[in-house]
């Protein structure tokens, strides 16, 4: 029996067999964090869910181009960095580092 992936399609309100647009290749974009504070369980759940999906797609033989952004500057980062008395860049870099260390501790594979 060949392994297959089935996913819930909210548009059609049903579970469907996954079919990639390109033969054995998948592109996946997941919105990343805004590094203005420590991550919480909801962040970890989101990123680990996609981590499992990527691992399973790799297992099925797909080449996965997995991309995730990190918002490097926005109003929240600027406001919180001012409150903390830090430069916005250093403030954001600190929380990115904390995020990556926390996720690595969960054996997360970092996206490209």
């Amino acid at each position: 029996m060949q392994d297959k992936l089935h996913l819930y399609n909210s548009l059609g309100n049903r579970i469907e067999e996954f079919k990639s647009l390109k033969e054995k290749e998948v592109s996946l974009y997941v919105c990343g964090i805004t590094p203005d504070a420590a991550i919480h369980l909801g962040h970890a759940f989101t990123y680990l869910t996609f981590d499992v999906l990527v691992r399973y797609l790799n297992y099925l033989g797909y080449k996965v181009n997995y991309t995730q952004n990190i918002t490097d500057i926005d109003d929240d980062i600027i406001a919180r960095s001012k409150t903390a008395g830090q430069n916005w860049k250093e403030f954001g870099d600190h929380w990115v580092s904390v995020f990556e260390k926390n996720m690595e501790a969960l054996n997360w594979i970092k996206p490209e």
Side-chain angles (χ1 to χ4, degrees):
M1 183 169 98
Q2 186 179 16
D3 293 317
K4 294 181 181 179
L5 173 64
H6 291 81
L7 297 171
Y8 178 74
N9 179 343
S10 60
L11 183 62
N13 196 29
R14 64 179 178 261
I15 295 174
E16 299 177 359
E17 182 178 338
F18 172 76
K19 295 185 180 177
S20 63
L21 296 175
K22 293 183 180 179
E23 183 69 26
K24 288 296 187 183
E25 190 174 328
V26 176
S27 293
L28 179 66
Y29 170 80
V30 177
C31 190
I33 64 163
T34 299
D36 61 353
I39 66 167
H40 51 72
L41 191 55
H43 291 119
F45 178 80
T46 297
Y47 303 129
L48 291 176
T49 298
F50 284 102
D51 183 79
V52 170
L53 176 61
V54 169
R55 289 171 192 256
Y56 192 66
L57 287 167
N58 283 326
Y59 166 79
L60 293 175
Y62 287 92
K63 177 185 179 289
V64 181
N65 177 19
Y66 178 25
T67 305
Q68 183 181 86
N69 75 314
I70 293 178
T71 301
D72 58 352
I73 184 168
D74 79 349
D75 292 342
D76 291 336
I77 295 170
I78 293 169
R80 290 189 177 176
S81 67
K82 283 182 182 179
T83 301
Q86 286 184 286
N87 169 279
W88 66 267
K89 177 86 168 99
E90 292 168 358
F91 182 83
D93 288 348
H94 165 76
W95 288 115
V96 169
S97 177
V98 169
F99 166 74
E100 289 177 343
K101 286 177 186 168
N102 287 336
M103 294 305 295
E104 287 168 9
L106 296 171
N107 198 31
W108 174 66
I109 298 173
K110 187 176 179 179
E112 291 90 32

